[in-house]
């Protein structure tokens, strides 16, 4: 996935990199960057007990990986509640 700027919003999106590479992804996914970043940081902090700032280097050194799959779709209000974690793999 790669980060894509969403003008004029203060956040962007993480989107599947396959189409940008000319490939077709059977399960392309995208997610608002602020939701994904908040979720990853909260899970990292819960797992490690870290309370202060967390850098990208910290996440990479810990081997942090995130799997994003299609969840709720459409433009309704249900998309504003944050990421759908019901299908997340442990």
């Amino acid at each position: 996935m790669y980060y894509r700027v969403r003008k004029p919003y203060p956040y962007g999106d993480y989107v599947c990199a396959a189409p940008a590479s000319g490939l077709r992804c059977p399960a392309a996914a995208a997610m608002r960057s602020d939701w994904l970043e908040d979720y990853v940081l909260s899970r990292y902090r819960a797992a490690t007990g870290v309370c202060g700032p967390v850098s990208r280097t910290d996440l990479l050194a810990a081997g942090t990986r995130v799997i994003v799959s299609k969840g709720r779709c459409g433009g309704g209000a249900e998309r504003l509640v944050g990421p759908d974690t019901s299908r997340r793999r442990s």
Side-chain angles (χ1 to χ4, degrees):
M1 297 187 90
Y2 69 96
Y3 180 80
R4 181 178 64 194
V5 174
R6 185 188 268 197
K7 296 179 184 176
Y9 299 97
Y11 56 85
D13 293 308
Y14 285 104
V15 297
C16 180
S21 303
L23 303 173
R24 179 168 165 75
C25 181
M31 180 175 276
R32 275 182 48 167
S33 63
D34 55 341
W35 291 347
L36 184 58
E37 291 164 2
D38 289 346
Y39 177 75
V40 169
L41 288 174
S42 70
R43 298 293 296 176
Y44 177 83
R45 286 185 173 121
T48 62
V50 171
C51 296
V54 177
S55 70
R56 183 173 190 261
T57 304
D58 296 332
L59 295 173
L60 293 173
T64 304
R65 299 288 183 264
V66 177
I67 298 172
V68 177
S69 61
K70 289 187 175 187
R72 294 184 294 267
C73 60
E78 65 275 6
R79 291 193 69 178
L80 301 177
V81 298
D84 178 9
T85 59
S86 64
R87 300 187 322 172
R88 185 179 59 81
R89 292 186 222 165
S90 300

